[in-house]
Amino acid sequence: MQAAVWYAAKDLRVEQMPIPTINDPHEVKVKVAACGICGSDLHEYAAGPIFIPVDKPHPISGEQAPIIMGHEFAGEVVEVGDKVTRVKVGDRVAIEPILSPNQNGAYQMERYNLTPLLGFHGLSGGGGGFSEFTVMGEHMVHKLPDDLSFEQGALVEPAAVALHAVRQSSLKAGDSAAVFGAGPIGLMTIEALKAAGAAQIYAVEVAPSRKAKAEALGAIVVDPQQEDAVAKLQMLSNGGVDVAFEVTGIPAVLNQSLHSTHEGGEVIVVSIWEGEASFHPNDLVIKERTMKGIIAYRHVYPAVMALMQRGYFRAEDMVTQRIPLADIVEEGFEALLSDKAQVKIIVTP
């Protein structure tokens, strides 16, 4: 089968790989139908490794680089182990790619995303969605409702990040929020905030196409290249927003997020960072603000799919390009690095 294999930063190769086989009675083989390129994938391509194990095998996958990439995907079940009960052959599924201790087809931890052994199918070995077939435990598959497409199924994973971020925040119906960065996760955070009942949603973004998408989703857009974003947000929200979501991984933006909130406000850090960032602790202390980080998601896939059925996280709002797996390097990763008009690129094996 064809697969996109990560060897090192800027060294991603589409090559022939063996079709994986089921080796555990609780495993499921999936024929991949659609896989999105994630911001985390882009970080790994541009400046990795971050999650990709290179010095020793990942303790759960048992693999290290070179590894097959792709963790935002959906497909059709083509084979199941003898003890699989969650799905059957022919089912359409969205994949929850978290690698966390598991046994007999179930995660062992309640907060399984917080394991010290955290990894991701498609980033930490074990196969991935940038391939024709892949195998994973049945605890990682969720049956897609009949009215959701495979492409919509590939968006469940990034939407889960956004929904988890909002659910982990202190935001209540009627509150105000600012989202710093209107890439795929930022746009989906806007959608999750709408679903949670935020009364005012602001988006801080510089790319014209992403500003337009944020505005189309109902956010009030602030361009930090045209005006002081913090001052503008403070003015628009009468003293600061209730919650700010940092979704860029840019150090200066972390400080903007912090200062955009009012006294007692909250900052949720959603980004995965390539390096250190600094802020003055007094900006937390004197204003009694809170800063909180989130990683991935847990127990939200059913809620995401239910919201999708109600019209949230629509593929037509997020997907800007569809490409074959053979073109993933130039038309996928390189395009995302050079063209900020792109939001979500979907790859079809």
Side-chain angles (χ1 to χ4, degrees):
M1 68 173 185
Q2 272 198 329
V5 183
W6 187 97
Y7 283 84
K10 286 300 190 93
D11 187 1
L12 182 68
R13 310 175 196 174
V14 177
E15 54 191 24
Q16 291 294 314
M17 297 289 287
I19 295 176
T21 58
I22 287 178
N23 296 306
D24 182 278
H26 286 283
E27 286 184 335
V28 174
K29 181 190 281 189
V30 172
K31 185 179 190 302
V32 179
C35 186
I37 301 179
C38 175
S40 298
D41 295 327
L42 199 60
H43 284 306
E44 296 285 4
Y45 176 77
I50 300 170
F51 282 104
I52 294 177
V54 292
D55 297 324
K56 60 182 179 180
H58 188 274
I60 295 177
S61 74
E63 293 185 4
Q64 66 191 87
I67 59 98
I68 297 172
M69 293 189 76
H71 64 278
E72 297 181 353
F73 66 103
E76 179 183 344
V77 176
V78 293
E79 185 181 348
V80 297
D82 294 340
K83 295 184 179 180
V84 169
T85 59
R86 287 171 62 97
V87 293
K88 64 184 185 302
V89 172
D91 281 349
R92 301 160 61 255
V93 292
I95 309 305
E96 182 170 3
I98 289 180
L99 298 182
S100 182
N102 60 89
Q103 191 173 19
N104 298 327
Y107 286 116
Q108 292 179 282
M109 296 173 59
E110 170 64 20
R111 297 191 295 176
Y112 51 88
N113 60 319
L114 301 185
T115 173
L117 305 180
L118 180 66
F120 295 87
H121 188 89
L123 282 176
S124 308
F130 295 143
S131 63
E132 295 179 61
F133 297 91
T134 189
V135 170
M136 75 290 296
E138 66 171 314
H139 58 286
M140 299 165 70
V141 299
H142 296 263
K143 190 173 178 181
L144 268 175
D146 292 340
D147 54 347
L148 295 184
S149 67
F150 282 125
E151 191 170 270
Q152 200 69 58
L155 296 179
V156 175
E157 199 276 348
V161 175
L163 186 60
H164 181 63
V166 172
R167 286 167 63 140
Q168 289 299 111
S169 76
S170 62
L171 183 122
K172 301 179 292 296
D175 281 353
S176 61
V179 178
F180 285 77
I185 301 297
L187 293 171
M188 289 181 171
T189 301
I190 292 170
E191 286 282 86
L193 286 165
K194 287 160 56 179
Q200 294 88 33
I201 304 171
Y202 307 97
V204 181
E205 176 58 59
V206 299
S209 63
R210 295 183 174 191
K211 288 193 294 184
K213 284 190 173 293
E215 195 168 42
L217 291 178
I220 298 169
V221 175
V222 176
D223 187 336
Q225 290 185 331
Q226 297 179 2
E227 55 194 332
D228 184 323
V230 171
K232 183 70 170 182
L233 288 169
Q234 290 275 348
M235 184 270 291
L236 289 172
S237 60
N238 296 316
V241 297
D242 295 299
V243 186
F245 294 82
E246 194 292 311
V247 203
T248 68
I250 299 171
V253 177
L254 181 65
N255 273 282
Q256 290 179 331
S257 303
L258 183 59
H259 287 93
S260 72
T261 63
H262 57 58
E263 296 87 345
E266 181 179 55
V267 178
I268 304 295
V269 183
V270 186
S271 304
I272 299 296
W273 295 72
E274 293 180 4
E276 294 184 355
S278 63
F279 63 91
H280 200 302
N282 282 347
D283 292 329
L284 286 178
V285 174
I286 293 173
K287 299 290 187 179
E288 288 195 353
R289 293 179 172 118
T290 301
M291 183 180 292
K292 184 175 187 178
I294 68 109
I295 181 68
Y297 37 77
R298 59 179 178 268
H299 306 301
V300 296
Y301 265 52
V304 169
M305 291 187 287
L307 286 171
M308 284 180 169
Q309 290 180 289
R310 293 182 57 191
Y312 293 97
F313 312 116
R314 302 189 313 163
E316 48 264 51
D317 294 328
M318 307 293 170
V319 178
T320 51
Q321 183 87 337
R322 297 164 179 87
I323 62 172
L325 179 60
D327 298 333
I328 191 171
V329 176
E330 291 302 322
E331 294 188 22
F333 283 89
E334 288 295 333
L336 285 168
L337 286 176
S338 62
D339 182 7
K340 293 306 178 185
Q342 298 293 346
V343 178
K344 178 61 65 180
I345 295 178
I346 294 291
V347 180
T348 303

